[in-house]
Amino acid sequence: MKVEKFNLAWLVLTYACNNKCRWCYASSNDYLLMKNKIFPKDKQEPTLNLLKELGINRITLIGGEPSLYPSLDLLVSAVSKRQMTPGIVTNGRKFENAEFVRGLRDAGLAYATFSIEGSSPKIHDYTTQCDGSWSQAMQGISNCLNLGLRVTVNTNISSINKHDLKNTLDTLKDVGVNQVSFNSCGICLSSDQNNQFILSPIDYAKYFEEVFLYSKKIGIKTRLITPLPRCNFKIMGQLKSDKAIPGGPCHIVTGRNFVVDYNGDILPCTHFSGYPLFNLFDGDNILSRERFLQLYNSGDALEFRERMARFPSIKCTDCKENCTGG
């Protein structure tokens, strides 16, 4: 599957984090190991130039916790000046400072997605293993909304919060959030100890359907980010009509989105940290557009997409749903 046109790139700025989420793919609970994993400043300009040449129209800054990256406002401005839309996925703790938020907004930040893992400190702070993290994030959401930034929330469905999802929607609606996305707490390749909180695809479908139906009652928009086998859902018609589930297979199959890791590794998804398709950095330089496309459409990168495009079960062969088995 040859790819020459891209949509979105995730840029990992740092693996340092001021939370210690129990299931995190970044394994941020080992701060001493992660704190030096940071995107080098001398690679900012050439990397952004290449992403622009590749036709990327949206860059989402991630981590670790990207708000810990030094001079974040300058990087946001550099993205915006290249007419690419900058956004951020954050735990929201630094956003408690309204002036910090104002600086990012003035630099051109278009949207912020907050990771909220529960309706109260009891569940959220238990997940992050950091007391006060829920209160700081909720204040951060209020600051963003007050300053006119577009805000969404992402919640990872896990064994910790599976019975708290409706309460979480109530809490978020009360502070003015009108759009919440859900991920399934996925398998972490870099740290197997973080996989004890995952659920089965059938359970993920069940819990999302429950929270989706509830969201309809209270007037808040919800959608599922993680592609799951559509045969696991019982109300597929409603989910489709509300565009509450992915419109096709995971982006790792199509290859239209990718991750630039802090060290230049090109990853199909954040869950593949440490398992790159190839590396963007060419010594002191950055790969050219032509070389990037050559590597992206051959060798390991092409083989990976071809393997991911295979049906996981024989029952998928004649299925009309466009999910590639999830």
Side-chain angles (χ1 to χ4, degrees), residues 3 8 32 35 84 89 100 106 113 172 282 300 314 319:
V3 184
L8 163 69
L32 293 177
K35 69 175 183 177
M84 296 182 287
V89 177
F100 176 79
D106 293 348
T113 299
L172 293 171
D282 183 16
D300 291 342
I314 193 170
C319 182

Side-chain angles (χ1 to χ4, degrees), residues 76-121:
V76 169
S77 179
V79 174
S80 183
K81 286 177 180 178
R82 288 169 172 78
Q83 297 183 319
M84 296 182 287
T85 302
I88 192 169
V89 177
T90 176
N91 64 31
R93 295 182 63 187
K94 283 196 69 175
F95 283 70
E96 180 190 31
N97 184 327
E99 289 307 307
F100 176 79
V101 178
R102 191 186 306 277
L104 293 179
R105 183 203 63 180
D106 293 348
L109 188 71
Y111 61 92
T113 299
F114 285 74
S115 299
I116 302 295
E117 308 307 336
S119 64
S120 66

Side-chain angles (χ1 to χ4, degrees), residues 157-160 162 185 195 197-204 207:
I157 303 174
S158 71
S159 61
I160 300 171
K162 61 185 180 182
C185 188
N195 293 328
F197 306 103
I198 63 176
L199 304 173
S200 72
I202 292 175
D203 282 339
Y204 283 129
Y207 288 116

Side-chain angles (χ1 to χ4, degrees), residues 150-154 177-181 220-223:
R150 181 160 60 91
V151 172
T152 61
V153 165
N154 184 78
V177 173
N178 56 27
Q179 184 173 332
V180 180
S181 60
I220 192 169
K221 179 73 174 176
T222 54
R223 64 188 299 260

